[in-house]
Each structure stands twice: as structure tokens, then as C-alpha cells.
PDB file of all heavy atoms in Angstrom:
ATOM      1  N   VAL A   5      71.607 106.420 105.549  1.00 98.00           N
ATOM      2  CA  VAL A   5      71.548 107.747 104.942  1.00 98.00           C
ATOM      3  C   VAL A   5      72.965 108.232 104.627  1.00 98.00           C
ATOM      4  O   VAL A   5      73.846 108.203 105.493  1.00 98.00           O
ATOM      5  CB  VAL A   5      70.852 108.742 105.883  1.00 98.00           C
ATOM      6  CG1 VAL A   5      70.813 110.141 105.273  1.00 98.00           C
ATOM      7  CG2 VAL A   5      69.438 108.255 106.209  1.00 98.00           C
ATOM      8  N   PRO A   6      73.212 108.669 103.382  1.00 98.00           N
ATOM      9  CA  PRO A   6      74.558 109.140 103.037  1.00 98.00           C
ATOM     10  C   PRO A   6      74.890 110.466 103.719  1.00 98.00           C
ATOM     11  O   PRO A   6      74.007 111.277 103.989  1.00 98.00           O
ATOM     12  CB  PRO A   6      74.490 109.311 101.513  1.00 98.00           C
ATOM     13  CG  PRO A   6      73.048 109.592 101.244  1.00 98.00           C
ATOM     14  CD  PRO A   6      72.279 108.778 102.246  1.00 98.00           C
ATOM     15  N   GLU A   7      76.168 110.652 103.982  1.00 97.00           N
ATOM     16  CA  GLU A   7      76.649 111.896 104.560  1.00 97.00           C
ATOM     17  C   GLU A   7      77.639 112.546 103.598  1.00 97.00           C
ATOM     18  O   GLU A   7      78.184 111.881 102.712  1.00 97.00           O
ATOM     19  CB  GLU A   7      77.323 111.623 105.910  1.00 97.00           C
ATOM     20  CG  GLU A   7      76.363 111.072 106.956  1.00 97.00           C
ATOM     21  CD  GLU A   7      77.040 110.834 108.289  1.00 97.00           C
ATOM     22  OE1 GLU A   7      78.281 110.974 108.353  1.00 97.00           O
ATOM     23  OE2 GLU A   7      76.331 110.511 109.261  1.00 97.00           O
ATOM     24  N   PRO A   8      77.892 113.834 103.737  1.00 97.00           N
ATOM     25  CA  PRO A   8      78.902 114.474 102.890  1.00 97.00           C
ATOM     26  C   PRO A   8      80.248 113.777 103.009  1.00 97.00           C
ATOM     27  O   PRO A   8      80.612 113.282 104.079  1.00 97.00           O
ATOM     28  CB  PRO A   8      78.950 115.902 103.446  1.00 97.00           C
ATOM     29  CG  PRO A   8      77.613 116.116 104.077  1.00 97.00           C
ATOM     30  CD  PRO A   8      77.213 114.795 104.639  1.00 97.00           C
ATOM     31  N   ASP A   9      80.963 113.719 101.899  1.00 97.00           N
ATOM     32  CA  ASP A   9      82.272 113.074 101.868  1.00 97.00           C
ATOM     33  C   ASP A   9      83.348 114.111 102.197  1.00 97.00           C
ATOM     34  O   ASP A   9      83.630 114.991 101.382  1.00 97.00           O
ATOM     35  CB  ASP A   9      82.516 112.477 100.486  1.00 97.00           C
ATOM     36  CG  ASP A   9      83.857 111.771 100.377  1.00 97.00           C
ATOM     37  OD1 ASP A   9      84.597 111.739 101.380  1.00 97.00           O
ATOM     38  OD2 ASP A   9      84.163 111.255  99.280  1.00 97.00           O
ATOM     39  N   PRO A  10      83.962 114.015 103.376  1.00 95.00           N
ATOM     40  CA  PRO A  10      84.958 115.034 103.759  1.00 95.00           C
ATOM     41  C   PRO A  10      86.234 114.961 102.919  1.00 95.00           C
ATOM     42  O   PRO A  10      87.013 115.917 102.907  1.00 95.00           O
ATOM     43  CB  PRO A  10      85.249 114.704 105.227  1.00 95.00           C
ATOM     44  CG  PRO A  10      84.910 113.250 105.363  1.00 95.00           C
ATOM     45  CD  PRO A  10      83.768 113.001 104.421  1.00 95.00           C
ATOM     46  N   GLN A  11      86.436 113.842 102.211  1.00 94.00           N
ATOM     47  CA  GLN A  11      87.633 113.673 101.395  1.00 94.00           C
ATOM     48  C   GLN A  11      87.446 114.154  99.951  1.00 94.00           C
ATOM     49  O   GLN A  11      88.390 114.121  99.159  1.00 94.00           O
ATOM     50  CB  GLN A  11      88.054 112.198 101.378  1.00 94.00           C
ATOM     51  CG  GLN A  11      88.260 111.590 102.757  1.00 94.00           C
ATOM     52  CD  GLN A  11      89.318 112.303 103.566  1.00 94.00           C
ATOM     53  OE1 GLN A  11      90.364 112.687 103.026  1.00 94.00           O
ATOM     54  NE2 GLN A  11      89.062 112.526 104.852  1.00 94.00           N
ATOM     55  N   TRP A  12      86.223 114.585  99.624  1.00 96.00           N
ATOM     56  CA  TRP A  12      85.953 114.970  98.239  1.00 96.00           C
ATOM     57  C   TRP A  12      86.800 116.173  97.846  1.00 96.00           C
ATOM     58  O   TRP A  12      86.947 117.127  98.614  1.00 96.00           O
ATOM     59  CB  TRP A  12      84.468 115.282  98.064  1.00 96.00           C
ATOM     60  CG  TRP A  12      84.039 115.348  96.632  1.00 96.00           C
ATOM     61  CD1 TRP A  12      83.651 114.320  95.833  1.00 96.00           C
ATOM     62  CD2 TRP A  12      83.920 116.535  95.823  1.00 96.00           C
ATOM     63  NE1 TRP A  12      83.305 114.762  94.580  1.00 96.00           N
ATOM     64  CE2 TRP A  12      83.475 116.127  94.542  1.00 96.00           C
ATOM     65  CE3 TRP A  12      84.162 117.885  96.052  1.00 96.00           C
ATOM     66  CZ2 TRP A  12      83.251 117.022  93.506  1.00 96.00           C
ATOM     67  CZ3 TRP A  12      83.941 118.784  95.013  1.00 96.00           C
ATOM     68  CH2 TRP A  12      83.491 118.349  93.760  1.00 96.00           C
ATOM     69  N   ASN A  13      87.343 116.133  96.640  1.00 96.00           N
ATOM     70  CA  ASN A  13      88.297 117.146  96.195  1.00 96.00           C
ATOM     71  C   ASN A  13      87.821 117.753  94.878  1.00 96.00           C
ATOM     72  O   ASN A  13      87.748 117.064  93.859  1.00 96.00           O
ATOM     73  CB  ASN A  13      89.676 116.497  96.025  1.00 96.00           C
ATOM     74  CG  ASN A  13      90.726 117.481  95.548  1.00 96.00           C
ATOM     75  OD1 ASN A  13      90.460 118.672  95.371  1.00 96.00           O
ATOM     76  ND2 ASN A  13      91.936 116.985  95.328  1.00 96.00           N
ATOM     77  N   GLY A  14      87.519 119.031  94.886  1.00 95.00           N
ATOM     78  CA  GLY A  14      87.053 119.709  93.682  1.00 95.00           C
ATOM     79  C   GLY A  14      88.095 119.804  92.589  1.00 95.00           C
ATOM     80  O   GLY A  14      87.769 120.027  91.423  1.00 95.00           O
ATOM     81  N   GLN A  15      89.373 119.638  92.932  1.00 95.00           N
ATOM     82  CA  GLN A  15      90.426 119.630  91.923  1.00 95.00           C
ATOM     83  C   GLN A  15      90.485 118.293  91.176  1.00 95.00           C
ATOM     84  O   GLN A  15      90.958 118.224  90.048  1.00 95.00           O
ATOM     85  CB  GLN A  15      91.782 119.897  92.589  1.00 95.00           C
ATOM     86  CG  GLN A  15      91.919 121.282  93.196  1.00 95.00           C
ATOM     87  CD  GLN A  15      91.935 122.373  92.140  1.00 95.00           C
ATOM     88  OE1 GLN A  15      92.578 122.241  91.099  1.00 95.00           O
ATOM     89  NE2 GLN A  15      91.204 123.456  92.399  1.00 95.00           N
ATOM     90  N   ASP A  16      90.020 117.252  91.829  1.00 94.00           N
ATOM     91  CA  ASP A  16      89.977 115.911  91.234  1.00 94.00           C
ATOM     92  C   ASP A  16      88.667 115.256  91.643  1.00 94.00           C
ATOM     93  O   ASP A  16      88.624 114.326  92.437  1.00 94.00           O
ATOM     94  CB  ASP A  16      91.171 115.082  91.727  1.00 94.00           C
ATOM     95  CG  ASP A  16      91.233 113.704  91.066  1.00 94.00           C
ATOM     96  OD1 ASP A  16      90.653 113.529  89.966  1.00 94.00           O
ATOM     97  OD2 ASP A  16      91.845 112.793  91.679  1.00 94.00           O
ATOM     98  N   PRO A  17      87.541 115.747  91.099  1.00 95.00           N
ATOM     99  CA  PRO A  17      86.223 115.366  91.609  1.00 95.00           C
ATOM    100  C   PRO A  17      85.851 113.913  91.304  1.00 95.00           C
ATOM    101  O   PRO A  17      85.967 113.459  90.168  1.00 95.00           O
ATOM    102  CB  PRO A  17      85.268 116.336  90.898  1.00 95.00           C
ATOM    103  CG  PRO A  17      86.001 116.760  89.666  1.00 95.00           C
ATOM    104  CD  PRO A  17      87.459 116.755  90.016  1.00 95.00           C
ATOM    105  N   ASP A  18      85.422 113.203  92.327  1.00 95.00           N
ATOM    106  CA  ASP A  18      84.940 111.828  92.184  1.00 95.00           C
ATOM    107  C   ASP A  18      83.442 111.893  91.889  1.00 95.00           C
ATOM    108  O   ASP A  18      82.667 112.374  92.724  1.00 95.00           O
ATOM    109  CB  ASP A  18      85.194 111.055  93.472  1.00 95.00           C
ATOM    110  CG  ASP A  18      84.679 109.624  93.411  1.00 95.00           C
ATOM    111  OD1 ASP A  18      84.166 109.215  92.345  1.00 95.00           O
ATOM    112  OD2 ASP A  18      84.802 108.910  94.425  1.00 95.00           O
ATOM    113  N   PRO A  19      82.980 111.413  90.707  1.00 95.00           N
ATOM    114  CA  PRO A  19      81.557 111.481  90.373  1.00 95.00           C
ATOM    115  C   PRO A  19      80.663 110.676  91.310  1.00 95.00           C
ATOM    116  O   PRO A  19      79.454 110.890  91.343  1.00 95.00           O
ATOM    117  CB  PRO A  19      81.496 110.910  88.952  1.00 95.00           C
ATOM    118  CG  PRO A  19      82.879 110.992  88.415  1.00 95.00           C
ATOM    119  CD  PRO A  19      83.778 110.838  89.602  1.00 95.00           C
ATOM    120  N   ALA A  20      81.234 109.715  92.062  1.00 96.00           N
ATOM    121  CA  ALA A  20      80.430 108.823  92.891  1.00 96.00           C
ATOM    122  C   ALA A  20      80.154 109.365  94.283  1.00 96.00           C
ATOM    123  O   ALA A  20      79.377 108.777  95.031  1.00 96.00           O
ATOM    124  CB  ALA A  20      81.113 107.461  93.003  1.00 96.00           C
ATOM    125  N   SER A  21      80.791 110.490  94.658  1.00 97.00           N
ATOM    126  CA  SER A  21      80.547 111.070  95.969  1.00 97.00           C
ATOM    127  C   SER A  21      80.510 112.587  95.844  1.00 97.00           C
ATOM    128  O   SER A  21      80.573 113.138  94.741  1.00 97.00           O
ATOM    129  CB  SER A  21      81.614 110.616  96.969  1.00 97.00           C
ATOM    130  OG  SER A  21      82.867 111.188  96.653  1.00 97.00           O
ATOM    131  N   SER A  22      80.432 113.260  96.996  1.00 98.00           N
ATOM    132  CA  SER A  22      80.212 114.705  96.935  1.00 98.00           C
ATOM    133  C   SER A  22      80.396 115.316  98.315  1.00 98.00           C
ATOM    134  O   SER A  22      80.267 114.620  99.330  1.00 98.00           O
ATOM    135  CB  SER A  22      78.787 114.983  96.447  1.00 98.00           C
ATOM    136  OG  SER A  22      78.473 116.358  96.506  1.00 98.00           O
ATOM    137  N   PRO A  23      80.646 116.622  98.386  1.00 97.00           N
ATOM    138  CA  PRO A  23      80.557 117.303  99.674  1.00 97.00           C
ATOM    139  C   PRO A  23      79.108 117.451 100.129  1.00 97.00           C
ATOM    140  O   PRO A  23      78.846 117.862 101.256  1.00 97.00           O
ATOM    141  CB  PRO A  23      81.195 118.669  99.397  1.00 97.00           C
ATOM    142  CG  PRO A  23      81.044 118.868  97.928  1.00 97.00           C
ATOM    143  CD  PRO A  23      81.124 117.506  97.312  1.00 97.00           C
ATOM    144  N   ALA A  24      78.165 117.111  99.255  1.00 98.00           N
ATOM    145  CA  ALA A  24      76.747 117.024  99.609  1.00 98.00           C
ATOM    146  C   ALA A  24      76.444 115.579 100.033  1.00 98.00           C
ATOM    147  O   ALA A  24      77.227 114.668  99.757  1.00 98.00           O
ATOM    148  CB  ALA A  24      75.880 117.415  98.405  1.00 98.00           C
ATOM    149  N   PRO A  25      75.308 115.338 100.677  1.00 98.00           N
ATOM    150  CA  PRO A  25      74.939 113.965 101.068  1.00 98.00           C
ATOM    151  C   PRO A  25      74.439 113.179  99.849  1.00 98.00           C
ATOM    152  O   PRO A  25      73.233 113.014  99.637  1.00 98.00           O
ATOM    153  CB  PRO A  25      73.835 114.177 102.103  1.00 98.00           C
ATOM    154  CG  PRO A  25      73.211 115.487 101.721  1.00 98.00           C
ATOM    155  CD  PRO A  25      74.338 116.336 101.187  1.00 98.00           C
ATOM    156  N   TYR A  26      75.369 112.670  99.063  1.00 98.00           N
ATOM    157  CA  TYR A  26      75.043 112.098  97.746  1.00 98.00           C
ATOM    158  C   TYR A  26      76.044 110.999  97.423  1.00 98.00           C
ATOM    159  O   TYR A  26      77.260 111.162  97.633  1.00 98.00           O
ATOM    160  CB  TYR A  26      75.117 113.205  96.696  1.00 98.00           C
ATOM    161  CG  TYR A  26      74.953 112.756  95.260  1.00 98.00           C
ATOM    162  CD1 TYR A  26      73.691 112.640  94.687  1.00 98.00           C
ATOM    163  CD2 TYR A  26      76.067 112.463  94.464  1.00 98.00           C
ATOM    164  CE1 TYR A  26      73.535 112.263  93.359  1.00 98.00           C
ATOM    165  CE2 TYR A  26      75.920 112.084  93.134  1.00 98.00           C
ATOM    166  CZ  TYR A  26      74.653 111.982  92.598  1.00 98.00           C
ATOM    167  OH  TYR A  26      74.502 111.603  91.285  1.00 98.00           O
ATOM    168  N   ARG A  27      75.545 109.866  96.905  1.00 98.00           N
ATOM    169  CA  ARG A  27      76.415 108.771  96.500  1.00 98.00           C
ATOM    170  C   ARG A  27      75.835 108.095  95.253  1.00 98.00           C
ATOM    171  O   ARG A  27      74.613 108.086  95.033  1.00 98.00           O
ATOM    172  CB  ARG A  27      76.543 107.709  97.596  1.00 98.00           C
ATOM    173  CG  ARG A  27      77.275 108.163  98.848  1.00 98.00           C
ATOM    174  CD  ARG A  27      78.756 108.393  98.618  1.00 98.00           C
ATOM    175  NE  ARG A  27      79.459 108.657  99.864  1.00 98.00           N
ATOM    176  CZ  ARG A  27      79.471 109.823 100.495  1.00 98.00           C
ATOM    177  NH1 ARG A  27      78.801 110.858  99.985  1.00 98.00           N
ATOM    178  NH2 ARG A  27      80.144 109.981 101.626  1.00 98.00           N
ATOM    179  N   ILE A  28      76.730 107.498  94.474  1.00 98.00           N
ATOM    180  CA  ILE A  28      76.355 106.661  93.332  1.00 98.00           C
ATOM    181  C   ILE A  28      77.057 105.313  93.502  1.00 98.00           C
ATOM    182  O   ILE A  28      78.249 105.256  93.814  1.00 98.00           O
ATOM    183  CB  ILE A  28      76.793 107.289  91.991  1.00 98.00           C
ATOM    184  CG1 ILE A  28      75.999 108.562  91.700  1.00 98.00           C
ATOM    185  CG2 ILE A  28      76.621 106.288  90.850  1.00 98.00           C
ATOM    186  CD1 ILE A  28      74.543 108.341  91.327  1.00 98.00           C
ATOM    187  N   TYR A  29      76.302 104.220  93.283  1.00 98.00           N
ATOM    188  CA  TYR A  29      76.864 102.868  93.352  1.00 98.00           C
ATOM    189  C   TYR A  29      76.398 102.041  92.156  1.00 98.00           C
ATOM    190  O   TYR A  29      75.291 102.247  91.624  1.00 98.00           O
ATOM    191  CB  TYR A  29      76.403 102.143  94.620  1.00 98.00           C
ATOM    192  CG  TYR A  29      76.861 102.768  95.912  1.00 98.00           C
ATOM    193  CD1 TYR A  29      76.010 103.614  96.620  1.00 98.00           C
ATOM    194  CD2 TYR A  29      78.126 102.517  96.427  1.00 98.00           C
ATOM    195  CE1 TYR A  29      76.413 104.199  97.809  1.00 98.00           C
ATOM    196  CE2 TYR A  29      78.540 103.093  97.626  1.00 98.00           C
ATOM    197  CZ  TYR A  29      77.681 103.933  98.310  1.00 98.00           C
ATOM    198  OH  TYR A  29      78.080 104.511  99.485  1.00 98.00           O
ATOM    199  N   ASN A  30      77.238 101.112  91.742  1.00 97.00           N
ATOM    200  CA  ASN A  30      76.821 100.045  90.831  1.00 97.00           C
ATOM    201  C   ASN A  30      76.225  98.899  91.641  1.00 97.00           C
ATOM    202  O   ASN A  30      76.718  98.583  92.728  1.00 97.00           O
ATOM    203  CB  ASN A  30      78.023  99.477  90.063  1.00 97.00           C
ATOM    204  CG  ASN A  30      78.580 100.427  89.028  1.00 97.00           C
ATOM    205  OD1 ASN A  30      77.871 101.269  88.481  1.00 97.00           O
ATOM    206  ND2 ASN A  30      79.867 100.292  88.733  1.00 97.00           N
ATOM    207  N   ILE A  31      75.188  98.259  91.078  1.00 96.00           N
ATOM    208  CA  ILE A  31      74.738  96.959  91.607  1.00 96.00           C
ATOM    209  C   ILE A  31      74.749  95.977  90.448  1.00 96.00           C
ATOM    210  O   ILE A  31      73.953  96.092  89.508  1.00 96.00           O
ATOM    211  CB  ILE A  31      73.329  96.998  92.217  1.00 96.00           C
ATOM    212  CG1 ILE A  31      73.243  97.987  93.378  1.00 96.00           C
ATOM    213  CG2 ILE A  31      72.963  95.608  92.730  1.00 96.00           C
ATOM    214  CD1 ILE A  31      71.947  97.906  94.150  1.00 96.00           C
ATOM    215  N   GLY A  32      75.662  95.031  90.490  1.00 94.00           N
ATOM    216  CA  GLY A  32      75.767  94.002  89.457  1.00 94.00           C
ATOM    217  C   GLY A  32      76.248  92.711  90.075  1.00 94.00           C
ATOM    218  O   GLY A  32      76.513  92.631  91.284  1.00 94.00           O
ATOM    219  N   SER A  33      76.372  91.694  89.257  1.00 93.00           N
ATOM    220  CA  SER A  33      76.840  90.393  89.746  1.00 93.00           C
ATOM    221  C   SER A  33      78.356  90.338  89.810  1.00 93.00           C
ATOM    222  O   SER A  33      78.921  89.472  90.472  1.00 93.00           O
ATOM    223  CB  SER A  33      76.329  89.276  88.836  1.00 93.00           C
ATOM    224  OG  SER A  33      76.964  89.358  87.569  1.00 93.00           O
ATOM    225  N   ASN A  34      79.020  91.242  89.091  1.00 85.00           N
ATOM    226  CA  ASN A  34      80.482  91.238  88.951  1.00 85.00           C
ATOM    227  C   ASN A  34      80.969  89.925  88.340  1.00 85.00           C
ATOM    228  O   ASN A  34      82.084  89.481  88.604  1.00 85.00           O
ATOM    229  CB  ASN A  34      81.166  91.492  90.297  1.00 85.00           C
ATOM    230  CG  ASN A  34      82.613  91.910  90.142  1.00 85.00           C
ATOM    231  OD1 ASN A  34      82.995  92.499  89.136  1.00 85.00           O
ATOM    232  ND2 ASN A  34      83.438  91.584  91.124  1.00 85.00           N
ATOM    233  N   ALA A  35      80.104  89.303  87.521  1.00 89.00           N
ATOM    234  CA  ALA A  35      80.464  88.041  86.863  1.00 89.00           C
ATOM    235  C   ALA A  35      79.834  88.021  85.472  1.00 89.00           C
ATOM    236  O   ALA A  35      78.823  87.361  85.241  1.00 89.00           O
ATOM    237  CB  ALA A  35      79.987  86.848  87.682  1.00 89.00           C
ATOM    238  N   PRO A  36      80.397  88.790  84.516  1.00 91.00           N
ATOM    239  CA  PRO A  36      79.795  88.897  83.183  1.00 91.00           C
ATOM    240  C   PRO A  36      79.671  87.537  82.493  1.00 91.00           C
ATOM    241  O   PRO A  36      80.498  86.638  82.692  1.00 91.00           O
ATOM    242  CB  PRO A  36      80.775  89.806  82.434  1.00 91.00           C
ATOM    243  CG  PRO A  36      81.523  90.531  83.490  1.00 91.00           C
ATOM    244  CD  PRO A  36      81.613  89.595  84.646  1.00 91.00           C
ATOM    245  N   VAL A  37      78.602  87.418  81.700  1.00 93.00           N
ATOM    246  CA  VAL A  37      78.284  86.161  81.018  1.00 93.00           C
ATOM    247  C   VAL A  37      78.085  86.445  79.534  1.00 93.00           C
ATOM    248  O   VAL A  37      77.434  87.439  79.168  1.00 93.00           O
ATOM    249  CB  VAL A  37      77.001  85.535  81.611  1.00 93.00           C
ATOM    250  CG1 VAL A  37      76.582  84.286  80.838  1.00 93.00           C
ATOM    251  CG2 VAL A  37      77.207  85.208  83.088  1.00 93.00           C
ATOM    252  N   LYS A  38      78.622  85.582  78.693  1.00 92.00           N
ATOM    253  CA  LYS A  38      78.388  85.718  77.262  1.00 92.00           C
ATOM    254  C   LYS A  38      76.917  85.456  76.955  1.00 92.00           C
ATOM    255  O   LYS A  38      76.305  84.552  77.529  1.00 92.00           O
ATOM    256  CB  LYS A  38      79.265  84.729  76.493  1.00 92.00           C
ATOM    257  CG  LYS A  38      80.756  85.005  76.581  1.00 92.00           C
ATOM    258  CD  LYS A  38      81.546  83.952  75.815  1.00 92.00           C
ATOM    259  CE  LYS A  38      83.046  84.234  75.902  1.00 92.00           C
ATOM    260  NZ  LYS A  38      83.838  83.183  75.195  1.00 92.00           N
ATOM    261  N   LEU A  39      76.370  86.243  76.038  1.00 93.00           N
ATOM    262  CA  LEU A  39      74.960  86.109  75.703  1.00 93.00           C
ATOM    263  C   LEU A  39      74.633  84.692  75.241  1.00 93.00           C
ATOM    264  O   LEU A  39      73.585  84.136  75.622  1.00 93.00           O
ATOM    265  CB  LEU A  39      74.574  87.121  74.620  1.00 93.00           C
ATOM    266  CG  LEU A  39      73.114  87.066  74.151  1.00 93.00           C
ATOM    267  CD1 LEU A  39      72.155  87.313  75.309  1.00 93.00           C
ATOM    268  CD2 LEU A  39      72.872  88.084  73.042  1.00 93.00           C
ATOM    269  N   MET A  40      75.488  84.074  74.447  1.00 93.00           N
ATOM    270  CA  MET A  40      75.200  82.727  73.956  1.00 93.00           C
ATOM    271  C   MET A  40      75.196  81.712  75.108  1.00 93.00           C
ATOM    272  O   MET A  40      74.407  80.761  75.096  1.00 93.00           O
ATOM    273  CB  MET A  40      76.203  82.319  72.882  1.00 93.00           C
ATOM    274  CG  MET A  40      76.083  83.115  71.580  1.00 93.00           C
ATOM    275  SD  MET A  40      74.400  83.178  70.894  1.00 93.00           S
ATOM    276  CE  MET A  40      74.057  81.431  70.671  1.00 93.00           C
ATOM    277  N   ASP A  41      76.034  81.919  76.120  1.00 94.00           N
ATOM    278  CA  ASP A  41      76.004  81.036  77.288  1.00 94.00           C
ATOM    279  C   ASP A  41      74.701  81.205  78.060  1.00 94.00           C
ATOM    280  O   ASP A  41      74.150  80.232  78.604  1.00 94.00           O
ATOM    281  CB  ASP A  41      77.200  81.324  78.206  1.00 94.00           C
ATOM    282  CG  ASP A  41      78.528  80.899  77.599  1.00 94.00           C
ATOM    283  OD1 ASP A  41      78.518  80.093  76.639  1.00 94.00           O
ATOM    284  OD2 ASP A  41      79.580  81.385  78.074  1.00 94.00           O
ATOM    285  N   PHE A  42      74.217  82.433  78.113  1.00 95.00           N
ATOM    286  CA  PHE A  42      72.937  82.717  78.768  1.00 95.00           C
ATOM    287  C   PHE A  42      71.808  81.983  78.033  1.00 95.00           C
ATOM    288  O   PHE A  42      70.934  81.366  78.662  1.00 95.00           O
ATOM    289  CB  PHE A  42      72.705  84.220  78.761  1.00 95.00           C
ATOM    290  CG  PHE A  42      71.597  84.704  79.659  1.00 95.00           C
ATOM    291  CD1 PHE A  42      71.729  84.648  81.037  1.00 95.00           C
ATOM    292  CD2 PHE A  42      70.438  85.242  79.126  1.00 95.00           C
ATOM    293  CE1 PHE A  42      70.718  85.115  81.868  1.00 95.00           C
ATOM    294  CE2 PHE A  42      69.423  85.706  79.943  1.00 95.00           C
ATOM    295  CZ  PHE A  42      69.564  85.643  81.319  1.00 95.00           C
ATOM    296  N   ILE A  43      71.832  82.047  76.711  1.00 95.00           N
ATOM    297  CA  ILE A  43      70.824  81.349  75.901  1.00 95.00           C
ATOM    298  C   ILE A  43      70.906  79.842  76.126  1.00 95.00           C
ATOM    299  O   ILE A  43      69.872  79.155  76.232  1.00 95.00           O
ATOM    300  CB  ILE A  43      70.989  81.707  74.417  1.00 95.00           C
ATOM    301  CG1 ILE A  43      70.622  83.182  74.191  1.00 95.00           C
ATOM    302  CG2 ILE A  43      70.136  80.805  73.533  1.00 95.00           C
ATOM    303  CD1 ILE A  43      70.954  83.712  72.816  1.00 95.00           C
ATOM    304  N   HIS A  44      72.108  79.296  76.231  1.00 96.00           N
ATOM    305  CA  HIS A  44      72.255  77.853  76.469  1.00 96.00           C
ATOM    306  C   HIS A  44      71.647  77.457  77.811  1.00 96.00           C
ATOM    307  O   HIS A  44      71.081  76.353  77.928  1.00 96.00           O
ATOM    308  CB  HIS A  44      73.735  77.461  76.421  1.00 96.00           C
ATOM    309  CG  HIS A  44      74.366  77.612  75.074  1.00 96.00           C
ATOM    310  ND1 HIS A  44      73.650  77.423  73.897  1.00 96.00           N
ATOM    311  CD2 HIS A  44      75.647  77.924  74.707  1.00 96.00           C
ATOM    312  CE1 HIS A  44      74.469  77.624  72.863  1.00 96.00           C
ATOM    313  NE2 HIS A  44      75.664  77.930  73.330  1.00 96.00           N
ATOM    314  N   GLU A  45      71.730  78.324  78.807  1.00 96.00           N
ATOM    315  CA  GLU A  45      71.106  78.030  80.098  1.00 96.00           C
ATOM    316  C   GLU A  45      69.583  77.954  79.966  1.00 96.00           C
ATOM    317  O   GLU A  45      68.942  77.101  80.580  1.00 96.00           O
ATOM    318  CB  GLU A  45      71.486  79.095  81.140  1.00 96.00           C
ATOM    319  CG  GLU A  45      72.868  78.951  81.716  1.00 96.00           C
ATOM    320  CD  GLU A  45      73.056  77.651  82.474  1.00 96.00           C
ATOM    321  OE1 GLU A  45      72.118  77.213  83.198  1.00 96.00           O
ATOM    322  OE2 GLU A  45      74.133  77.045  82.344  1.00 96.00           O
ATOM    323  N   ILE A  46      69.024  78.845  79.164  1.00 96.00           N
ATOM    324  CA  ILE A  46      67.568  78.803  78.931  1.00 96.00           C
ATOM    325  C   ILE A  46      67.200  77.508  78.223  1.00 96.00           C
ATOM    326  O   ILE A  46      66.237  76.811  78.611  1.00 96.00           O
ATOM    327  CB  ILE A  46      67.120  80.019  78.092  1.00 96.00           C
ATOM    328  CG1 ILE A  46      67.534  81.329  78.765  1.00 96.00           C
ATOM    329  CG2 ILE A  46      65.603  79.985  77.885  1.00 96.00           C
ATOM    330  CD1 ILE A  46      67.323  82.559  77.897  1.00 96.00           C
TER     331      ILE A  46
END
């Protein structure tokens, strides 16, 4: 369960956290692939 971020700064607000119990994350492979390479795998 997320908790409020005590380091959050309204003068330089981070969109991924908050003084509220709220977080945003990316979920990806972190290994981008060219579409044509993807097609070749198929």
C-alpha cells in the first residue's frame, strides 16, 4: 500500500508521487524493439 511521500515538493511537483497515498509507475521491458524485428520473430 502506498504512503504519502514526505519529500514531495509543491514548488517542484513530481507527477509520480504525492503528499497523498498515490504513486504512478511504468511497467515495460526497458528493451525497445524495432517493429520489423518483431515481425521477423513472428
Side-chain angles (χ1 to χ4, degrees):
V5 179
E7 296 181 353
D9 181 0
Q11 305 301 319
W12 194 86
N13 179 2
Q15 294 293 317
D16 184 22
D18 178 3
S21 69
S22 174
Y26 174 87
R27 293 291 187 281
I28 292 288
Y29 297 98
N30 289 332
I31 300 189
S33 69
N34 197 28
V37 175
K38 293 179 180 178
L39 179 59
M40 292 309 301
D41 291 342
F42 193 69
I43 292 171
H44 294 328
E45 282 298 321
I46 304 171

